[in-house]
Amino acid sequence: MSEHKCECCGRKKVRSEEEYKRLLNRLSRIEGQVRGIKAMVEESAYCPDILTQCAAVNAAMNAFSRELLTNHIRTCVADDIRAGRDETIDELAATLQKLMK
């Protein structure tokens, strides 16, 4: 299990090694895609080609966010509600609003 503490709020999430690796692998692929876009700009690639790659990065980030949100609801949110910490519902609603901007 991997446990990491959030610097901004002090909360932490214990993730299985499988989830931890899967999330990091997704982010590494996205990072590579962004580097590819940077190279395209440096090489003066045609705008629609760059925009196509930007759309792919956006889709990859959305997929990452969906996976993380699903795991969050299934674990953190469900556990907090079972424990009577209803403020988690407000936190989830605020998080969803940020994601839907």
Side-chain angles (χ1 to χ4, degrees):
M1 298 274 175
S2 295
E3 185 175 309
H4 301 279
K5 190 174 266 193
C6 177
E7 306 243 343
C8 61
C9 67
R11 295 185 74 179
K12 57 187 172 184
K13 162 72 174 165
V14 177
R15 292 184 172 83
S16 69
E17 204 59 36
E18 178 185 325
E19 179 186 1
Y20 180 74
K21 286 179 182 178
R22 193 174 52 249
L23 291 172
L24 287 182
N25 285 339
R26 275 186 182 263
L27 289 172
S28 292
R29 284 193 302 274
I30 293 166
E31 183 179 28
Q33 288 176 292
V34 171
R35 280 195 305 270
I37 292 170
K38 180 181 178 193
M40 291 175 80
V41 171
E42 291 170 344
E43 296 165 7
S44 301
Y46 189 52
C47 296
D49 295 339
I50 296 171
L51 290 167
T52 298
Q53 293 307 310
C54 289
V57 168
N58 285 332
M61 281 302 302
N62 286 336
F64 173 84
S65 294
R66 276 192 305 274
E67 181 176 349
L68 191 61
L69 179 61
T70 298
N71 291 337
H72 177 61
I73 291 169
R74 286 186 176 145
T75 58
C76 303
V77 173
D79 291 346
D80 281 358
I81 290 171
R82 286 186 201 107
R85 291 188 289 273
D86 291 337
E87 65 274 6
T88 298
I89 295 169
D90 294 332
E91 179 187 65
L92 176 60
T95 299
L96 289 171
Q97 286 181 350
K98 289 176 187 174
L99 287 173
M100 296 174 138
K101 282 186 177 181

